[in-house]
């Protein structure tokens, strides 16, 4: 009974300490919309539509009203998903220090806007990347085809195009286990009897089309061992024809596209399988150049109304101007922590 007598004084003591802390260490004033808008304008001008934007500290939720054209993460990304991107933006508020998880990414741009620091980091090989199909997933036109029957996959959400027949038959970004490691991939699950197709239109080609493909680890142990056929076409001409292997890990491909260099063409990726159970097929790819002419396929494309929207630009240090005009589909949402694994 005597112990109960300490409860009320104890609660009063805690309340006093909380009040004292609020006076000595007040909560920072939230960043206003003008500062977020200025940061968003810088990223829209200097970056690409599919770049990841990481905001610190995690509780600064004002960011969720902005960056509608980008993948937004509050706090540290899950499973090192940011390492999949050639470029990553950090927006640091209230004097937050630069996080230590950027690995060997190099700082290439920095600007202060009011209480915000806007920084762009580049992967060491980013200068060679002319176009990244993972980053630019929204550029794709996705469809199913069986003979003359063509069904478009127009529903775009969570960075994915969903097809009308099965909810697992979609094309887009996802995190899966490959060789025991969680990785960001382009998921392209085949549907039996149909060709699942992703067409990237009007791309300016460079020296090489490089990438890798795999089955996610759970598919390796499944009863269904049917291979997935993976075809790559440029303007209707087949340039790659591969079949998945029933073993864990990535299989690389490297296609010489120098004969098309400078030309604008459609690049198409197709998957088919005789049986579709547990055929968790994934891939990644980039257009890469062997010279310094990144502006030929970067900044010039960003200004082209006829070209795709998800460019990798090579010259970051320009004075920010007004936001680039939006050509994006209205259903795209800002998804905080969108790289969490979902069933």
């Amino acid at each position: 009974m005597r112990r109960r007598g300490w409860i009320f004084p104890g609660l009063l003591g805690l309340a006093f300490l909380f009040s004292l802390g609020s006076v000595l260490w007040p909560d920072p004033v939230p960043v206003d919309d003008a500062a977020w808008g200025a940061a968003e304008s810088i990223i829209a001008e200097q970056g690409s539509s599919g770049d990841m934007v990481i905001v610190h500290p995690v509780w600064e939720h004002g960011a969720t009203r902005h960056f509608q054209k980008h993948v937004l993460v509050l706090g540290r990304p899950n499973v090192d998903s940011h390492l999949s991107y050639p470029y990553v933006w950090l927006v640091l508020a209230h004097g937050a220090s630069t996080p230590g998880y950027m690995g060997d990414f190099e700082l290439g741009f920095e600007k202060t806007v009011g209480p915000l620091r806007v920084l762009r980091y580049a992967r060491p090989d980013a200068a060679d990347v002319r176009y990244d199909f993972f980053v630019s997933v929204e550029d794709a036109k996705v469809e199913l085809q069986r003979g003359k029957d063509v069904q478009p996959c127009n529903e775009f959400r969570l960075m994915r195009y969903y097809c009308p027949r099965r909810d697992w038959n979609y094309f887009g970004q996802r995190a899966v286990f490959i060789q025991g490691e969680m990785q960001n991939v382009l998921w392209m699950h085949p549907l039996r009897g149909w060709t699942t197709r992703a067409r990237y239109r009007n791309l300016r080609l460079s020296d090489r089309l490089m990438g890798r493909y795999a089955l996610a680890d759970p598919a390796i142990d499944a009863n269904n061992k049917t291979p997935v056929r993976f075809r790559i076409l440029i303007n209707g001409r087949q340039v790659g024809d591969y079949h998945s292997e029933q073993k864990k890990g990535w299989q690389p491909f490297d296609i010489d596209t120098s004969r098309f260099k400078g030309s604008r063409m459609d690049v198409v990726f197709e998957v088919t399988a005789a049986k579709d159970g547990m055929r968790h097929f994934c891939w990644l790819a980039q257009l890469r150049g062997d010279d310094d002419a990144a502006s030929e396929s970067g900044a010039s494309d960003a200004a082209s109304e006829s070209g795709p929207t998800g460019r990798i630009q090579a010259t970051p240090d320009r004075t920010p101007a007004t936001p680039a005009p939006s050509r994006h589909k209205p259903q795209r949402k800002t998804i905080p922590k969108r790289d969490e694994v979902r069933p």
Side-chain angles (χ1 to χ4, degrees):
M1 296 295 294
R2 291 181 179 179
R3 292 182 178 178
R4 293 183 179 179
W6 292 98
I7 294 177
F8 184 67
L11 292 174
L12 287 177
L14 290 174
F16 172 76
L17 291 175
F18 179 80
S19 300
L20 180 63
S22 299
V23 173
L24 296 178
W25 301 284
D27 290 336
V29 176
V31 176
D32 58 31
D33 274 351
W36 286 121
E40 185 178 30
S41 296
I42 292 171
I43 295 174
E45 171 67 17
Q46 303 290 340
S48 301
S49 65
D51 288 349
M52 176 178 282
V53 177
I54 304 173
V55 172
H56 286 277
V58 67
W59 49 260
E60 188 51 78
H61 296 294
T64 60
R65 296 191 296 274
H66 297 271
F67 309 110
Q68 296 296 315
K69 304 175 186 139
H70 300 272
V71 176
L72 175 63
V73 177
L74 300 182
R76 179 168 184 158
N78 296 343
V79 300
D80 290 335
S81 59
H82 59 294
L83 301 180
S84 301
Y85 293 80
Y87 297 97
V88 174
W89 290 89
L90 296 182
V91 182
L92 307 178
H94 308 296
S97 58
T98 304
Y101 54 74
M102 293 307 298
D104 57 357
F105 276 55
E106 300 170 353
L107 178 63
F109 176 91
E110 180 174 2
K111 188 174 182 65
T112 300
V113 183
L116 300 176
R117 287 171 60 210
V118 182
L119 307 94
R120 187 172 85 162
Y121 283 82
R123 214 166 54 198
D125 62 349
D128 297 329
V129 179
R130 304 296 181 259
Y131 189 89
D132 188 295
F133 292 91
F134 174 85
V135 171
S136 307
V137 61
E138 190 182 6
D139 287 348
K141 178 183 178 183
V142 185
E143 63 187 17
L144 298 175
Q145 181 177 3
R146 183 173 62 183
K148 295 182 179 180
D149 187 2
V150 178
Q151 299 187 12
C153 307
N154 291 330
E155 181 184 356
F156 186 81
R157 54 187 171 87
L158 299 176
M159 304 303 291
R160 304 165 181 173
Y161 284 97
Y162 286 85
C163 295
R165 304 190 68 83
R166 297 288 188 272
D167 57 1
W168 40 259
N169 176 224
Y170 61 81
F171 172 70
Q173 296 181 5
R174 181 170 176 173
V176 300
F177 279 102
I178 295 181
Q179 208 163 8
E181 180 181 349
M182 187 68 76
Q183 301 188 40
N184 267 9
V185 300
L186 284 170
W187 169 280
M188 199 172 190
H189 198 304
L191 180 65
R192 181 168 60 93
W194 295 79
T195 296
T196 304
R197 178 180 298 115
R199 180 186 303 275
Y200 288 78
R201 293 171 292 182
N202 200 31
L203 300 186
R204 189 189 298 275
L205 299 188
S206 191
D207 295 286
R208 313 200 71 78
L209 170 56
M210 302 175 63
R212 50 189 178 168
Y213 61 93
L215 290 173
D217 286 358
I220 304 302
D221 301 323
N223 292 329
N224 181 16
K225 310 297 183 184
T226 304
V228 177
R229 187 181 184 187
F230 178 47
R231 300 175 67 225
I232 304 174
L233 303 96
I234 294 178
N235 266 22
R237 179 190 304 178
Q238 179 176 291
V239 295
D241 190 1
Y242 311 98
H243 292 79
S244 64
E245 299 184 18
Q246 203 64 24
K247 64 179 183 181
K248 294 183 179 180
W250 289 104
Q251 303 298 316
F253 62 85
D254 186 346
I255 300 169
D256 184 353
T257 58
S258 59
R259 63 189 183 279
F260 306 126
K261 187 173 181 177
S263 300
R264 286 189 174 275
M265 297 185 174
D266 289 2
V267 180
V268 174
F269 301 87
E270 296 182 350
V271 295
T272 53
K275 297 180 181 179
D276 55 24
M278 291 293 291
R279 299 295 81 191
H280 297 178
F281 187 81
C282 313
W283 59 273
L284 294 169
Q286 296 174 334
L287 295 176
R288 287 177 168 261
D290 297 331
D291 53 37
D292 295 328
S295 60
E296 292 182 7
S297 59
S300 61
D301 282 355
S304 171
E305 291 297 324
S306 60
T309 58
R311 266 343 107 237
I312 301 297
Q313 298 190 20
T315 53
D317 295 323
R318 295 175 294 174
T319 303
T322 55
S326 174
R327 298 189 297 277
H328 297 273
K329 301 171 178 61
Q331 64 265 43
R332 184 170 181 174
K333 304 293 184 182
T334 295
I335 309 296
K337 291 188 178 294
R338 64 97 209 139
D339 51 319
E340 295 178 353
V341 180
R342 296 177 174 82

